[in-house]
Amino acid sequence: MMLLRFFSPLAAAAAVAMSMAGAPPAQANTAASFQRDLIELLECRASPAAMQAVTTSLRGALYGTPRERPAHLQGWDFMRSGDGDDTTTFIDMPDALTVHGITTHRVVADDTGFSIPVDAGQRARIVSGNGLRLRSSNLREPFQVWSAPEPSGDASLPAALVVRSDGEGYRVGCDYPGPMRETRVPPRLRETASASDVGAALECRADDAAMQRIANTWERVSELSPLAWPDNVSAVASRDYAVGGQTMSLLAVTLDHPVMLQGLPVQSLGIAQGGYFAADMGDAPLKAVLDATRLGVADRQVEGYWMREATREASSGYTRVRAFSVIPTDSGAVLAGCMTSEVRSAD
């Protein structure tokens, strides 16, 4: 983490002196204290008291009239965008701050906290210098987040550094512990699938508890921020596969570390409406997948894929059938996984 600097100690002294010239000592102390707290907040090293002080001051300035603002917030401009839970406030300051070695006149506040805008070069420097990893999603719009490999980040800091995309640019901010982090994942979704759960589900042998954990995982990656994803997930996308001239749309999840399917490594998983859970086998040739899964001539269907029934469970009014399948796509990729279907029982 870079230390705060204003180009040079001389420039820092000059900037402080100019901003406080003519101000009573109490106002000067208040301005210096607020600036220090704001910079610490943006550099992920603020104490809870400093966080509260900054948030209270800025909230008061946002909702109050300009005449009611304290002297150190005179001339600050607040512009709100969006509505409901998706509101962003752009705060433009008359005097620049230097945060993470970046000089800025703008602070951005939203439901994730405070951040500053950065360009692509600044983003690359911060990501590289802090060892951040990328997580990305294209479900609603292209979105990228770079964060620490572990949620806590650097144990010496009260918060973890986070960089994320913002339209044409990027923002750098912090992930502070507290209510926001604690409520990021609803309690019902906190138990997610293990590698063994995923392997069992792909092979049609997962029990109901494992399937619920997989459902929790899929809901988290499709509905929540990348900061709330399970640790092993690095990307989420909507992906189309052409099979026999027909399009199959999957919610595709890329893993940091592979899971195993019959001894073959898998780093891309997909789920489709109607109960299909599959692995994109990557560079594995069709024959290698068929050999590993022990599907043969007797399992080939007239449509050109391989399938073998794994389980059949009768219930009130219907029968649930799970079948393991291997599907070659028109592009040469191979999908392997479990199809679930429900057949109404005869009266």
Side-chain angles (χ1 to χ4, degrees), residues 255-319:
L255 305 176
D256 279 330
H257 307 291
V259 296
M260 304 304 292
L261 171 60
Q262 296 292 342
L264 298 176
V266 173
Q267 284 198 264
S268 182
L269 303 170
I271 191 168
Q273 293 183 350
Y276 180 51
F277 183 53
D280 183 329
M281 302 306 297
D283 296 331
L286 175 60
K287 184 178 185 306
V289 177
L290 291 173
D291 288 346
T293 56
R294 296 182 295 279
L295 293 182
V297 175
D299 304 305
R300 181 159 188 177
Q301 309 298 304
V302 294
E303 296 86 353
Y305 62 89
W306 286 256
M307 185 173 69
R308 178 187 298 157
E309 184 176 315
T311 64
R312 181 176 289 263
E313 178 184 350
S315 186
S316 177
Y318 67 90
T319 299

CSV table of all heavy atoms in Angstrom, one decimal, residues 255-319:
chain,number,residue,atom,x,y,z
A,255,LEU,N,-13.8,-21.5,-13.0
A,255,LEU,CA,-13.2,-21.8,-11.7
A,255,LEU,C,-11.7,-21.4,-11.7
A,255,LEU,O,-11.0,-21.6,-12.7
A,255,LEU,CB,-13.4,-23.2,-11.3
A,255,LEU,CG,-14.8,-23.8,-11.3
A,255,LEU,CD1,-14.8,-25.3,-11.0
A,255,LEU,CD2,-15.7,-23.1,-10.4
A,256,ASP,N,-11.3,-20.9,-10.5
A,256,ASP,CA,-9.8,-20.7,-10.4
A,256,ASP,C,-9.1,-22.0,-10.4
A,256,ASP,O,-8.0,-22.1,-10.9
A,256,ASP,CB,-9.5,-20.0,-9.1
A,256,ASP,CG,-9.8,-18.5,-9.2
A,256,ASP,OD1,-9.6,-17.9,-10.3
A,256,ASP,OD2,-10.2,-17.9,-8.2
A,257,HIS,N,-9.6,-23.0,-9.7
A,257,HIS,CA,-9.0,-24.3,-9.6
A,257,HIS,C,-9.9,-25.4,-10.1
A,257,HIS,O,-11.1,-25.4,-9.8
A,257,HIS,CB,-8.6,-24.6,-8.1
A,257,HIS,CG,-7.8,-23.5,-7.5
A,257,HIS,ND1,-6.5,-23.2,-7.9
A,257,HIS,CD2,-8.1,-22.6,-6.6
A,257,HIS,CE1,-6.1,-22.2,-7.2
A,257,HIS,NE2,-7.0,-21.8,-6.4
A,258,PRO,N,-9.4,-26.4,-10.8
A,258,PRO,CA,-10.3,-27.4,-11.5
A,258,PRO,C,-10.9,-28.3,-10.5
A,258,PRO,O,-10.4,-28.6,-9.4
A,258,PRO,CB,-9.4,-28.1,-12.4
A,258,PRO,CG,-8.0,-27.9,-11.8
A,258,PRO,CD,-8.0,-26.6,-11.2
A,259,VAL,N,-12.1,-28.8,-10.8
A,259,VAL,CA,-12.7,-30.0,-10.2
A,259,VAL,C,-12.5,-31.2,-11.1
A,259,VAL,O,-12.1,-31.0,-12.3
A,259,VAL,CB,-14.2,-29.7,-9.9
A,259,VAL,CG1,-14.4,-28.6,-8.9
A,259,VAL,CG2,-15.0,-29.4,-11.1
A,260,MET,N,-12.8,-32.4,-10.6
A,260,MET,CA,-12.6,-33.6,-11.4
A,260,MET,C,-13.8,-34.2,-11.8
A,260,MET,O,-14.8,-34.3,-11.1
A,260,MET,CB,-11.7,-34.5,-10.6
A,260,MET,CG,-10.4,-34.0,-10.1
A,260,MET,SD,-9.3,-33.2,-11.4
A,260,MET,CE,-8.9,-34.8,-12.3
A,261,LEU,N,-13.9,-34.7,-13.1
A,261,LEU,CA,-15.0,-35.5,-13.6
A,261,LEU,C,-14.3,-36.8,-14.2
A,261,LEU,O,-13.7,-36.7,-15.2
A,261,LEU,CB,-15.7,-34.7,-14.7
A,261,LEU,CG,-16.7,-35.6,-15.5
A,261,LEU,CD1,-17.8,-36.1,-14.6
A,261,LEU,CD2,-17.4,-34.7,-16.6
A,262,GLN,N,-14.5,-37.9,-13.4
A,262,GLN,CA,-14.0,-39.2,-13.9
A,262,GLN,C,-12.5,-39.0,-14.2
A,262,GLN,O,-12.0,-39.6,-15.2
A,262,GLN,CB,-14.7,-39.7,-15.0
A,262,GLN,CG,-16.2,-40.0,-14.8
A,262,GLN,CD,-16.3,-41.2,-13.8
A,262,GLN,OE1,-15.4,-42.0,-13.6
A,262,GLN,NE2,-17.5,-41.3,-13.2
A,263,GLY,N,-11.7,-38.3,-13.4
A,263,GLY,CA,-10.3,-38.2,-13.5
A,263,GLY,C,-9.9,-37.1,-14.5
A,263,GLY,O,-8.7,-36.8,-14.6
A,264,LEU,N,-10.8,-36.4,-15.2
A,264,LEU,CA,-10.5,-35.3,-16.1
A,264,LEU,C,-10.7,-34.0,-15.4
A,264,LEU,O,-11.7,-33.8,-14.8
A,264,LEU,CB,-11.3,-35.4,-17.4
A,264,LEU,CG,-11.2,-36.7,-18.2
A,264,LEU,CD1,-12.2,-36.6,-19.4
A,264,LEU,CD2,-9.7,-36.8,-18.7
A,265,PRO,N,-9.8,-33.0,-15.6
A,265,PRO,CA,-9.9,-31.7,-14.9
A,265,PRO,C,-10.9,-30.9,-15.6
A,265,PRO,O,-11.0,-30.9,-16.8
A,265,PRO,CB,-8.5,-31.1,-15.0
A,265,PRO,CG,-7.9,-31.8,-16.2
A,265,PRO,CD,-8.5,-33.2,-16.3
A,266,VAL,N,-11.7,-30.1,-14.8
A,266,VAL,CA,-12.8,-29.3,-15.4
A,266,VAL,C,-12.7,-27.9,-14.7
A,266,VAL,O,-12.6,-27.8,-13.5
A,266,VAL,CB,-14.2,-29.8,-15.0
A,266,VAL,CG1,-15.3,-28.9,-15.4
A,266,VAL,CG2,-14.4,-31.2,-15.8
A,267,GLN,N,-12.6,-26.8,-15.6
A,267,GLN,CA,-12.5,-25.5,-15.0
A,267,GLN,C,-13.7,-24.6,-15.5
A,267,GLN,O,-13.8,-23.4,-15.1
A,267,GLN,CB,-11.2,-24.8,-15.4
A,267,GLN,CG,-10.1,-25.3,-14.5
A,267,GLN,CD,-8.9,-24.4,-14.5
A,267,GLN,OE1,-7.9,-24.6,-15.3
A,267,GLN,NE2,-8.9,-23.4,-13.6
A,268,SER,N,-14.6,-25.2,-16.3
A,268,SER,CA,-15.8,-24.4,-16.7
A,268,SER,C,-17.0,-25.2,-16.6
A,268,SER,O,-17.1,-26.4,-17.1
A,268,SER,CB,-15.6,-24.0,-18.2
A,268,SER,OG,-16.7,-23.2,-18.6
A,269,LEU,N,-18.0,-24.7,-15.8
A,269,LEU,CA,-19.2,-25.4,-15.6
A,269,LEU,C,-20.4,-24.6,-16.2
A,269,LEU,O,-20.3,-23.4,-16.3
A,269,LEU,CB,-19.5,-25.5,-14.0
A,269,LEU,CG,-18.4,-26.2,-13.2
A,269,LEU,CD1,-18.6,-26.1,-11.8
A,269,LEU,CD2,-18.3,-27.7,-13.6
A,270,GLY,N,-21.5,-25.3,-16.5
A,270,GLY,CA,-22.6,-24.7,-17.0
A,270,GLY,C,-23.9,-25.3,-16.5
A,270,GLY,O,-24.0,-26.5,-16.2
A,271,ILE,N,-24.9,-24.4,-16.4
A,271,ILE,CA,-26.2,-24.9,-16.0
A,271,ILE,C,-27.3,-24.3,-16.9
A,271,ILE,O,-27.2,-23.1,-17.3
A,271,ILE,CB,-26.6,-24.6,-14.5
A,271,ILE,CG1,-27.8,-25.3,-14.1
A,271,ILE,CG2,-26.7,-23.1,-14.3
A,271,ILE,CD1,-28.0,-25.3,-12.5
A,272,ALA,N,-28.3,-25.1,-17.3
A,272,ALA,CA,-29.3,-24.6,-18.2
A,272,ALA,C,-30.7,-24.8,-17.5
A,272,ALA,O,-30.8,-25.7,-16.7
A,272,ALA,CB,-29.3,-25.3,-19.5
A,273,GLN,N,-31.7,-24.0,-18.0
A,273,GLN,CA,-33.0,-24.3,-17.5
A,273,GLN,C,-33.5,-25.7,-17.9
A,273,GLN,O,-33.1,-26.2,-19.0
A,273,GLN,CB,-34.0,-23.3,-18.1
A,273,GLN,CG,-33.7,-21.8,-17.6
A,273,GLN,CD,-34.7,-20.9,-18.2
A,273,GLN,OE1,-35.5,-21.2,-19.1
A,273,GLN,NE2,-34.8,-19.7,-17.6
A,274,GLY,N,-34.2,-26.3,-17.1
A,274,GLY,CA,-34.7,-27.6,-17.4
A,274,GLY,C,-33.9,-28.7,-16.7
A,274,GLY,O,-34.2,-29.9,-16.9
A,275,GLY,N,-32.9,-28.3,-15.9
A,275,GLY,CA,-32.2,-29.3,-15.1
A,275,GLY,C,-31.0,-30.0,-15.7
A,275,GLY,O,-30.7,-31.2,-15.6
A,276,TYR,N,-30.2,-29.2,-16.5
A,276,TYR,CA,-29.0,-29.7,-17.1
A,276,TYR,C,-27.8,-29.0,-16.4
A,276,TYR,O,-27.7,-27.8,-16.4
A,276,TYR,CB,-29.0,-29.4,-18.6
A,276,TYR,CG,-27.8,-29.9,-19.3
A,276,TYR,CD1,-27.3,-31.2,-19.2
A,276,TYR,CD2,-27.1,-29.0,-20.2
A,276,TYR,CE1,-26.2,-31.6,-19.9
A,276,TYR,CE2,-25.9,-29.5,-20.9
A,276,TYR,CZ,-25.5,-30.8,-20.7
A,276,TYR,OH,-24.4,-31.2,-21.4
A,277,PHE,N,-26.9,-29.9,-15.9
A,277,PHE,CA,-25.7,-29.4,-15.2
A,277,PHE,C,-24.5,-30.1,-15.9
A,277,PHE,O,-24.4,-31.3,-15.9
A,277,PHE,CB,-25.7,-29.7,-13.7
A,277,PHE,CG,-24.6,-29.3,-12.9
A,277,PHE,CD1,-24.2,-27.9,-13.0
A,277,PHE,CD2,-23.9,-30.1,-12.1
A,277,PHE,CE1,-23.1,-27.5,-12.2
A,277,PHE,CE2,-22.8,-29.7,-11.3
A,277,PHE,CZ,-22.4,-28.3,-11.4
A,278,ALA,N,-23.6,-29.3,-16.5
A,278,ALA,CA,-22.6,-29.9,-17.3
A,278,ALA,C,-21.2,-29.2,-17.1
A,278,ALA,O,-21.1,-28.1,-16.6
A,278,ALA,CB,-23.0,-29.8,-18.8
A,279,ALA,N,-20.2,-29.9,-17.6
A,279,ALA,CA,-18.8,-29.4,-17.6
A,279,ALA,C,-18.4,-29.2,-19.1
A,279,ALA,O,-18.7,-30.0,-19.9
A,279,ALA,CB,-17.9,-30.3,-17.0
A,280,ASP,N,-17.8,-28.0,-19.4
A,280,ASP,CA,-17.2,-27.8,-20.7
A,280,ASP,C,-15.8,-28.4,-20.6
A,280,ASP,O,-15.0,-28.0,-19.8
A,280,ASP,CB,-17.1,-26.3,-21.0
A,280,ASP,CG,-16.5,-26.0,-22.4
A,280,ASP,OD1,-15.7,-26.8,-22.8
A,280,ASP,OD2,-16.8,-25.0,-22.9
A,281,MET,N,-15.5,-29.5,-21.3
A,281,MET,CA,-14.3,-30.3,-21.1
A,281,MET,C,-13.1,-29.6,-21.7
A,281,MET,O,-12.0,-30.3,-21.8
A,281,MET,CB,-14.5,-31.7,-21.7
A,281,MET,CG,-15.7,-32.4,-21.0
A,281,MET,SD,-15.6,-32.5,-19.2
A,281,MET,CE,-14.1,-33.4,-19.0
A,282,GLY,N,-13.2,-28.4,-22.2
A,282,GLY,CA,-12.0,-27.7,-22.7
A,282,GLY,C,-11.4,-28.4,-23.9
A,282,GLY,O,-12.0,-28.6,-24.9
A,283,ASP,N,-10.1,-28.7,-23.8
A,283,ASP,CA,-9.3,-29.2,-24.9
A,283,ASP,C,-9.4,-30.8,-25.0
A,283,ASP,O,-8.9,-31.4,-25.9
A,283,ASP,CB,-7.9,-28.8,-24.8
A,283,ASP,CG,-7.7,-27.3,-25.0
A,283,ASP,OD1,-8.5,-26.7,-25.6
A,283,ASP,OD2,-6.7,-26.8,-24.4
A,284,ALA,N,-10.2,-31.4,-24.1
A,284,ALA,CA,-10.2,-32.8,-24.0
A,284,ALA,C,-11.0,-33.3,-25.3
A,284,ALA,O,-12.1,-32.9,-25.6
A,284,ALA,CB,-10.9,-33.3,-22.8
A,285,PRO,N,-10.4,-34.2,-26.1
A,285,PRO,CA,-11.1,-34.8,-27.3
A,285,PRO,C,-12.3,-35.7,-26.9
A,285,PRO,O,-12.3,-36.2,-25.7
A,285,PRO,CB,-10.0,-35.6,-28.0
A,285,PRO,CG,-9.0,-35.9,-26.9
A,285,PRO,CD,-9.0,-34.8,-25.9
A,286,LEU,N,-13.2,-35.8,-27.8
A,286,LEU,CA,-14.4,-36.5,-27.5
A,286,LEU,C,-14.1,-38.0,-27.0
A,286,LEU,O,-14.7,-38.5,-26.1
A,286,LEU,CB,-15.3,-36.6,-28.8
A,286,LEU,CG,-16.6,-37.5,-28.7
A,286,LEU,CD1,-17.5,-37.0,-27.6
A,286,LEU,CD2,-17.3,-37.4,-30.1
A,287,LYS,N,-13.2,-38.6,-27.7
A,287,LYS,CA,-12.8,-40.0,-27.4
A,287,LYS,C,-12.3,-40.1,-25.9
A,287,LYS,O,-12.7,-41.1,-25.2
A,287,LYS,CB,-11.8,-40.6,-28.3
A,287,LYS,CG,-11.5,-42.1,-28.1
A,287,LYS,CD,-10.5,-42.6,-29.1
A,287,LYS,CE,-10.3,-44.1,-28.9
A,287,LYS,NZ,-9.9,-44.5,-27.5
A,288,ALA,N,-11.5,-39.2,-25.5
A,288,ALA,CA,-11.0,-39.2,-24.2
A,288,ALA,C,-12.1,-39.1,-23.1
A,288,ALA,O,-12.1,-39.7,-22.1
A,288,ALA,CB,-10.0,-38.1,-24.0
A,289,VAL,N,-13.1,-38.2,-23.4
A,289,VAL,CA,-14.2,-38.0,-22.5
A,289,VAL,C,-15.1,-39.3,-22.5
A,289,VAL,O,-15.5,-39.8,-21.4
A,289,VAL,CB,-15.1,-36.8,-22.9
A,289,VAL,CG1,-16.3,-36.7,-22.0
A,289,VAL,CG2,-14.2,-35.5,-22.9
A,290,LEU,N,-15.3,-39.9,-23.6
A,290,LEU,CA,-16.1,-41.1,-23.7
A,290,LEU,C,-15.4,-42.3,-22.9
A,290,LEU,O,-16.0,-43.0,-22.2
A,290,LEU,CB,-16.4,-41.5,-25.1
A,290,LEU,CG,-17.4,-40.6,-25.9
A,290,LEU,CD1,-17.5,-41.0,-27.3
A,290,LEU,CD2,-18.8,-40.6,-25.3
A,291,ASP,N,-14.1,-42.4,-23.1
A,291,ASP,CA,-13.4,-43.4,-22.5
A,291,ASP,C,-13.4,-43.2,-21.0
A,291,ASP,O,-13.6,-44.2,-20.2
A,291,ASP,CB,-11.9,-43.4,-23.0
A,291,ASP,CG,-11.8,-44.0,-24.4
A,291,ASP,OD1,-12.7,-44.5,-24.9
A,291,ASP,OD2,-10.7,-43.8,-25.0
A,292,ALA,N,-13.2,-42.0,-20.5
A,292,ALA,CA,-13.2,-41.7,-19.1
A,292,ALA,C,-14.5,-42.0,-18.4
A,292,ALA,O,-14.6,-42.4,-17.3
A,292,ALA,CB,-12.7,-40.3,-18.8
A,293,THR,N,-15.6,-41.7,-19.1
A,293,THR,CA,-16.9,-41.8,-18.6
A,293,THR,C,-17.6,-43.2,-18.9
A,293,THR,O,-18.7,-43.5,-18.5
A,293,THR,CB,-17.8,-40.7,-19.1
A,293,THR,OG1,-17.9,-40.7,-20.5
A,293,THR,CG2,-17.3,-39.3,-18.6
A,294,ARG,N,-16.8,-44.0,-19.7
A,294,ARG,CA,-17.3,-45.4,-20.0
A,294,ARG,C,-18.6,-45.4,-20.7
A,294,ARG,O,-19.5,-46.2,-20.5
A,294,ARG,CB,-17.3,-46.2,-18.7
A,294,ARG,CG,-15.9,-46.4,-18.1
A,294,ARG,CD,-16.0,-47.3,-16.9
A,294,ARG,NE,-16.8,-46.7,-15.8
A,294,ARG,CZ,-16.3,-45.8,-14.9
A,294,ARG,NH1,-15.1,-45.4,-15.0
A,294,ARG,NH2,-17.1,-45.3,-14.0
A,295,LEU,N,-18.8,-44.4,-21.6
A,295,LEU,CA,-20.0,-44.5,-22.5
A,295,LEU,C,-19.5,-45.1,-23.8
A,295,LEU,O,-18.4,-44.8,-24.4
A,295,LEU,CB,-20.5,-43.1,-22.7
A,295,LEU,CG,-21.2,-42.4,-21.5
A,295,LEU,CD1,-21.7,-41.0,-21.9
A,295,LEU,CD2,-22.2,-43.3,-20.9
A,296,GLY,N,-20.4,-45.9,-24.4
A,296,GLY,CA,-20.0,-46.6,-25.6
A,296,GLY,C,-21.1,-46.6,-26.7
A,296,GLY,O,-22.1,-45.8,-26.6
A,297,VAL,N,-21.0,-47.5,-27.6
A,297,VAL,CA,-22.0,-47.6,-28.7
A,297,VAL,C,-23.4,-47.7,-28.3
A,297,VAL,O,-24.3,-47.1,-28.8
A,297,VAL,CB,-21.6,-48.8,-29.7
A,297,VAL,CG1,-22.6,-48.9,-30.8
A,297,VAL,CG2,-20.2,-48.6,-30.2
A,298,ALA,N,-23.6,-48.5,-27.2
A,298,ALA,CA,-25.0,-48.8,-26.7
A,298,ALA,C,-25.6,-47.5,-26.2
A,298,ALA,O,-26.8,-47.4,-26.0
A,298,ALA,CB,-25.0,-49.9,-25.7
A,299,ASP,N,-24.8,-46.5,-25.8
A,299,ASP,CA,-25.3,-45.3,-25.2
A,299,ASP,C,-25.5,-44.2,-26.2
A,299,ASP,O,-26.0,-43.1,-25.8
A,299,ASP,CB,-24.3,-44.8,-24.1
A,299,ASP,CG,-24.0,-45.9,-23.1
A,299,ASP,OD1,-25.0,-46.4,-22.5
A,299,ASP,OD2,-22.8,-46.2,-22.9
A,300,ARG,N,-25.2,-44.4,-27.4
A,300,ARG,CA,-25.3,-43.3,-28.4
A,300,ARG,C,-26.8,-43.2,-28.8
A,300,ARG,O,-27.4,-44.1,-29.1
A,300,ARG,CB,-24.4,-43.6,-29.6
A,300,ARG,CG,-24.5,-42.4,-30.6
A,300,ARG,CD,-23.4,-42.3,-31.6
A,300,ARG,NE,-23.5,-41.1,-32.4
A,300,ARG,CZ,-22.6,-40.7,-33.2
A,300,ARG,NH1,-21.5,-41.5,-33.4
A,300,ARG,NH2,-22.7,-39.6,-33.9
A,301,GLN,N,-27.2,-41.9,-28.8
A,301,GLN,CA,-28.6,-41.6,-29.2
A,301,GLN,C,-28.7,-41.2,-30.7
A,301,GLN,O,-27.7,-40.8,-31.3
A,301,GLN,CB,-29.2,-40.5,-28.3
A,301,GLN,CG,-29.0,-40.7,-26.8
A,301,GLN,CD,-29.7,-41.9,-26.3
A,301,GLN,OE1,-30.9,-42.1,-26.5
A,301,GLN,NE2,-28.9,-42.8,-25.7
A,302,VAL,N,-29.8,-41.3,-31.2
A,302,VAL,CA,-30.0,-41.0,-32.7
A,302,VAL,C,-29.7,-39.5,-33.0
A,302,VAL,O,-29.3,-39.1,-34.1
A,302,VAL,CB,-31.4,-41.3,-33.2
A,302,VAL,CG1,-31.6,-42.8,-33.1
A,302,VAL,CG2,-32.5,-40.6,-32.4
A,303,GLU,N,-29.8,-38.7,-32.0
A,303,GLU,CA,-29.5,-37.2,-32.1
A,303,GLU,C,-28.0,-36.9,-32.2
A,303,GLU,O,-27.6,-35.8,-32.5
A,303,GLU,CB,-30.2,-36.4,-31.0
A,303,GLU,CG,-31.7,-36.5,-31.0
A,303,GLU,CD,-32.2,-37.7,-30.2
A,303,GLU,OE1,-31.4,-38.5,-29.8
A,303,GLU,OE2,-33.4,-37.7,-30.0
A,304,GLY,N,-27.2,-37.9,-31.9
A,304,GLY,CA,-25.7,-37.7,-32.0
A,304,GLY,C,-25.0,-37.5,-30.7
A,304,GLY,O,-23.8,-37.1,-30.7
A,305,TYR,N,-25.7,-37.7,-29.6
A,305,TYR,CA,-25.0,-37.6,-28.3
A,305,TYR,C,-25.1,-38.9,-27.6
A,305,TYR,O,-25.8,-39.8,-28.0
A,305,TYR,CB,-25.5,-36.4,-27.5
A,305,TYR,CG,-27.0,-36.5,-27.1
A,305,TYR,CD1,-27.4,-37.2,-25.9
A,305,TYR,CD2,-28.0,-36.0,-27.9
A,305,TYR,CE1,-28.7,-37.3,-25.6
A,305,TYR,CE2,-29.3,-36.1,-27.6
A,305,TYR,CZ,-29.7,-36.7,-26.4
A,305,TYR,OH,-31.0,-36.9,-26.1
A,306,TRP,N,-24.3,-39.0,-26.5
A,306,TRP,CA,-24.3,-40.2,-25.7
A,306,TRP,C,-25.0,-40.0,-24.4
A,306,TRP,O,-24.9,-38.9,-23.7
A,306,TRP,CB,-22.9,-40.7,-25.4
A,306,TRP,CG,-22.2,-41.2,-26.6
A,306,TRP,CD1,-21.9,-42.6,-26.8
A,306,TRP,CD2,-21.6,-40.5,-27.7
A,306,TRP,NE1,-21.2,-42.7,-28.0
A,306,TRP,CE2,-21.0,-41.5,-28.6
A,306,TRP,CE3,-21.5,-39.2,-28.1
A,306,TRP,CZ2,-20.4,-41.2,-29.7
A,306,TRP,CZ3,-20.9,-38.8,-29.2
A,306,TRP,CH2,-20.3,-39.8,-30.1
A,307,MET,N,-25.8,-41.0,-23.9
A,307,MET,CA,-26.6,-40.8,-22.7
A,307,MET,C,-26.8,-42.1,-22.0
A,307,MET,O,-27.2,-43.1,-22.7
A,307,MET,CB,-27.9,-40.0,-22.9
A,307,MET,CG,-28.7,-39.7,-21.6
A,307,MET,SD,-30.1,-38.7,-21.9
A,307,MET,CE,-31.1,-39.8,-22.8
A,308,ARG,N,-26.7,-42.2,-20.7
A,308,ARG,CA,-27.0,-43.4,-19.9
A,308,ARG,C,-27.8,-43.0,-18.7
A,308,ARG,O,-27.3,-42.1,-17.9
A,308,ARG,CB,-25.7,-44.1,-19.5
A,308,ARG,CG,-26.0,-45.4,-18.7
A,308,ARG,CD,-24.7,-46.0,-18.2
A,308,ARG,NE,-23.8,-46.4,-19.3
A,308,ARG,CZ,-22.5,-46.5,-19.3
A,308,ARG,NH1,-21.9,-46.2,-18.2
A,308,ARG,NH2,-21.8,-46.9,-20.3
A,309,GLU,N,-28.9,-43.6,-18.5
A,309,GLU,CA,-29.7,-43.3,-17.3
A,309,GLU,C,-28.9,-43.7,-16.0
A,309,GLU,O,-28.3,-44.8,-15.9
A,309,GLU,CB,-31.0,-44.1,-17.3
A,309,GLU,CG,-31.9,-43.8,-16.1
A,309,GLU,CD,-33.3,-44.4,-16.2
A,309,GLU,OE1,-33.9,-44.4,-17.4
A,309,GLU,OE2,-33.7,-45.0,-15.2
A,310,ALA,N,-29.0,-42.8,-15.0
A,310,ALA,CA,-28.2,-43.1,-13.8
A,310,ALA,C,-29.1,-43.4,-12.6
A,310,ALA,O,-28.9,-44.3,-11.9
A,310,ALA,CB,-27.4,-41.9,-13.4
A,311,THR,N,-30.2,-42.6,-12.4
A,311,THR,CA,-31.1,-42.9,-11.3
A,311,THR,C,-32.5,-42.6,-11.8
A,311,THR,O,-32.8,-41.8,-12.7
A,311,THR,CB,-30.8,-41.9,-10.1
A,311,THR,OG1,-31.1,-40.6,-10.5
A,311,THR,CG2,-29.4,-42.1,-9.6
A,312,ARG,N,-33.5,-43.3,-11.2
A,312,ARG,CA,-34.9,-43.1,-11.4
A,312,ARG,C,-35.6,-43.1,-10.1
A,312,ARG,O,-35.5,-44.1,-9.3
A,312,ARG,CB,-35.4,-44.2,-12.3
A,312,ARG,CG,-36.9,-44.1,-12.7
A,312,ARG,CD,-37.3,-45.2,-13.7
A,312,ARG,NE,-36.7,-44.9,-15.0
A,312,ARG,CZ,-37.3,-44.3,-16.0
A,312,ARG,NH1,-38.6,-44.0,-15.9
A,312,ARG,NH2,-36.8,-44.2,-17.2
A,313,GLU,N,-36.3,-42.0,-9.8
A,313,GLU,CA,-36.9,-41.8,-8.5
A,313,GLU,C,-38.4,-41.5,-8.6
A,313,GLU,O,-38.8,-40.5,-9.2
A,313,GLU,CB,-36.2,-40.7,-7.7
A,313,GLU,CG,-36.8,-40.5,-6.3
A,313,GLU,CD,-36.1,-39.3,-5.6
A,313,GLU,OE1,-35.1,-38.8,-6.1
A,313,GLU,OE2,-36.7,-38.8,-4.6
A,314,ALA,N,-39.3,-42.4,-8.2
A,314,ALA,CA,-40.7,-42.2,-8.3
A,314,ALA,C,-41.2,-41.4,-7.1
A,314,ALA,O,-40.7,-41.5,-6.0
A,314,ALA,CB,-41.4,-43.6,-8.3
A,315,SER,N,-42.1,-40.4,-7.4
A,315,SER,CA,-42.7,-39.6,-6.4
A,315,SER,C,-44.2,-39.5,-6.7
A,315,SER,O,-44.7,-40.1,-7.6
A,315,SER,CB,-42.0,-38.2,-6.3
A,315,SER,OG,-42.5,-37.5,-5.2
A,316,SER,N,-44.8,-38.7,-5.9
A,316,SER,CA,-46.3,-38.5,-6.1
A,316,SER,C,-46.6,-37.8,-7.4
A,316,SER,O,-46.3,-36.6,-7.6
A,316,SER,CB,-46.9,-37.7,-4.9
A,316,SER,OG,-48.3,-37.5,-5.1
A,317,GLY,N,-47.1,-38.6,-8.4
A,317,GLY,CA,-47.5,-38.0,-9.6
A,317,GLY,C,-46.5,-37.9,-10.7
A,317,GLY,O,-46.8,-37.5,-11.9
A,318,TYR,N,-45.2,-38.2,-10.4
A,318,TYR,CA,-44.2,-38.1,-11.5
A,318,TYR,C,-43.0,-39.0,-11.1
A,318,TYR,O,-42.9,-39.4,-10.0
A,318,TYR,CB,-43.7,-36.6,-11.7
A,318,TYR,CG,-43.0,-36.1,-10.5
A,318,TYR,CD1,-41.6,-36.2,-10.4
A,318,TYR,CD2,-43.6,-35.4,-9.5
A,318,TYR,CE1,-40.9,-35.7,-9.3
A,318,TYR,CE2,-43.0,-34.9,-8.4
A,318,TYR,CZ,-41.6,-35.0,-8.3
A,318,TYR,OH,-40.9,-34.5,-7.2
A,319,THR,N,-42.1,-39.2,-12.1
A,319,THR,CA,-40.9,-39.9,-11.9
A,319,THR,C,-39.7,-39.0,-12.3
A,319,THR,O,-39.8,-38.4,-13.4
A,319,THR,CB,-40.9,-41.2,-12.7
A,319,THR,OG1,-41.9,-42.0,-12.2
A,319,THR,CG2,-39.5,-41.9,-12.5
